[in-house]
Each structure stands twice: as C-alpha cells, then as structure tokens.
Amino acid sequence: MLIGELASATGLARDTIRFYEKRGLVAGERRANGYRDFPPETVPWLQYVRTAQALGFTLAEIRRLGEELREAPDSAERLSALFSEKIRIIDARMDELSALRADLAARVDTGCPLRAET
C-alpha cells in the first residue's frame, strides 16, 4: 500500500505518516522507484496509535507498548494493566497540579506574586 493509499485509508496526512515512520511507529519497504510500500496491517495499527494518543499516551510509550503487547500472551490483560498504570500517573499529576493551583491562588493579590512564602 503506497503512502497516499495509507493516508486515504486512515484519514492521516502523508506528513503524519512520514513523521510516525521517523519515530519508528510504522515501517514501509522501499520499492525500486523509491516509493514507500506499507503492509495492510498498518491501517489498524495507525488507528490504534491515534486512539492511544487520544488516551494520553506519548508516541514513545505507544512504540514501546506496541512491541510489548504484540509479545504478551494475553494482550487484553496486559493492556488493562497499562491503563491502570496510566491512571495512577494521571492521578499523581492531578495532585501536583492541584497543589500548584493552590500555591498560585495563595499568591494572588499579594503585591509581588513571585515572592517567597513566609
């Protein structure tokens, strides 16, 4: 499947697919004429990538997790564990943001909002 066909099948821009290729998320063989030729299973994989991004996973995580999940005996169980870990990370980040918000709110109308707390 040529990159234009892959772009049409996934709704992604060719530049996005090239970017993913540079990041090691997809691989296309080069034809004799230099065109990229992607296997058909690239379409569902790119849909997976987009869904994982929407769920807050970075491209580096997606690349690493994709490799792990392909090798996992029960990928659904492994995926659930990954989601649980991501939720834990998000909860910790929300706690950090809440503390940051409280600190900023305490500095509102204090004259110099960057002064050290006393």
Side-chain angles (χ1 to χ4, degrees), residues 4-100:
E5 296 168 325
L6 184 57
S8 293
T10 60
L12 297 172
R14 292 175 185 177
D15 285 342
T16 301
I17 295 169
R18 288 184 192 104
F19 178 78
Y20 288 165
E21 187 176 28
K22 287 178 187 173
R23 296 290 183 262
L25 289 165
V26 296
E29 298 291 323
R30 290 288 183 164
R31 292 182 174 183
N33 60 8
Y35 291 177
R36 292 172 178 87
D37 188 18
F38 295 92
E41 59 269 12
T42 306
V43 174
W45 169 248
L46 286 176
Q47 292 166 340
Y48 171 86
V49 168
R50 299 303 287 192
T51 301
Q53 279 187 295
L55 292 172
F57 289 89
T58 66
L59 293 179
E61 288 173 322
I62 294 167
R63 185 181 65 246
R64 181 176 47 81
L65 297 176
E67 293 168 3
E68 286 180 25
L69 291 174
R70 281 191 278 270
E71 297 171 6
D74 181 354
S75 60
E77 184 177 311
R78 178 67 180 124
L79 193 56
S80 291
L82 293 170
F83 287 166
S84 294
E85 176 61 17
K86 191 66 169 180
I87 290 168
R88 189 194 61 73
I89 292 168
I90 290 169
D91 287 345
R93 182 66 179 138
M94 287 173 59
D95 290 344
E96 292 170 5
L97 289 172
S98 180
L100 176 60

